[in-house]
Amino acid sequence: MALEKTWRWFGANDSVTLSDLKQIGIEGIVTSLHHIPNGEIWTKEEIMKVKNEIESYGMRWSVVESLPVLEGIKTCSAGRGRLIDNYKESLRNLGECGIDTVCYNFMPVLDWARTDLHYKDKNGAESMLFDYCVFAAFDIYVLRRPMAAKDYPEDVREKAGALAANMSDEEKETLAHNIIVVTQGFINGTVSDVEDYKQLFLSYLEQYKYISPEQLRKNLSAFLSDIMPIAEEYGVNMCIHPDDPPFPLLGLPRIASTLEDFKWITGQYDSVMNGITFCTGSLSAREDNDMLKFIKELGSRIHFVHLRNTRRLGNKSFYESGHLEGSIDMYEVVKALLEEQKRRIQEGRKDIRMPFRPDHGLRILDDFSRKANPGYPLVGRMKGLAEICGLEMGIEKSKQVP
């Protein structure tokens, strides 16, 4: 028994090739049709081009990450009908082409947030950091979002003010550009690298001014009601990704941050195919999230696994600490996932692969001379993959899985 070894690949523009990944021992590729404009239909022809290319190297297209859910669907604004119709047609085409897992998210505007993309750990490896007070400085004093200050406690506002006062104009610009553009651009970012990117970003935030968490939940429920019958008919597991980080930012509603959130989501459409992406990196940034409880209560709905660790620093701050060391016990997490896999085998379920990828990674060694998207270095992820695979084998050999 072992979770399927997968790797996020960004297509023709990725510095890591499919040939490289075959040598590493990757079994499944996690990718998207990055060249298709957001909201447009993924045709069978375009899907098969990528699928055939992957299969020519002896691997499979294991997971779509992601089929983007556009803001018009999240806000239920004008044009939603066309976007939903296109989404359903893309799902049909994926299912008919034999792609059986789609990871998506319902995070408004901002997919994920970090304040430092070049944070050095004690060993000199490069990681990514989220500093809540620095983010507050960005929100209040750099972005200047209206009424932003009211969203932060007094002590955070004071620290944010001091930080902003000591930042140069260049540092402020770099901070804003990293948060709004750099971390978002390669994953269907809402705002591209344009001259007035901050104002454009503010305009997107404004669309959520009157959308409460309750309303966003209603919108997600409507989305699931629309697309899940198609997903079931064509054999596609849908798995929502957690908010990253898993708490409110920028005055936006966040509805995929806790166990209760995911129990609510999976309850909106009663099908095992309405599932979750179990991302330990995202979820572990919140101290009250218990990884083992997630697996115990929602294990049957886990269709995709992102494994990495974080080191919480207090006051909602954290850095990405690699794969084994950090604030969560990766041994117990992997053991629980292998137990879930064994249950599926015993129950005769078809979805026993349980694809996992080493999510993000420390930038080490030759990574410093290679081009890569933030969080996606080659050597650092290879190290994480080897660590997780070694952990799996150790658990199996010690007969720790009943």
Side-chain angles (χ1 to χ4, degrees), residues 132 139 145-153 157 249-252 316:
Y132 190 57
D139 191 11
R145 178 173 63 90
M147 305 297 290
K150 69 179 179 59
D151 290 338
Y152 300 93
R157 293 198 302 269
L249 294 176
L250 300 167
L252 296 168
K316 297 184 178 180

Side-chain angles (χ1 to χ4, degrees), residues 55-70:
E55 291 178 351
S56 73
Y57 287 90
M59 298 176 288
R60 67 190 305 276
W61 189 351
S62 183
V63 181
V64 170
E65 188 177 358
S66 61
L67 182 58
V69 181
L70 269 67

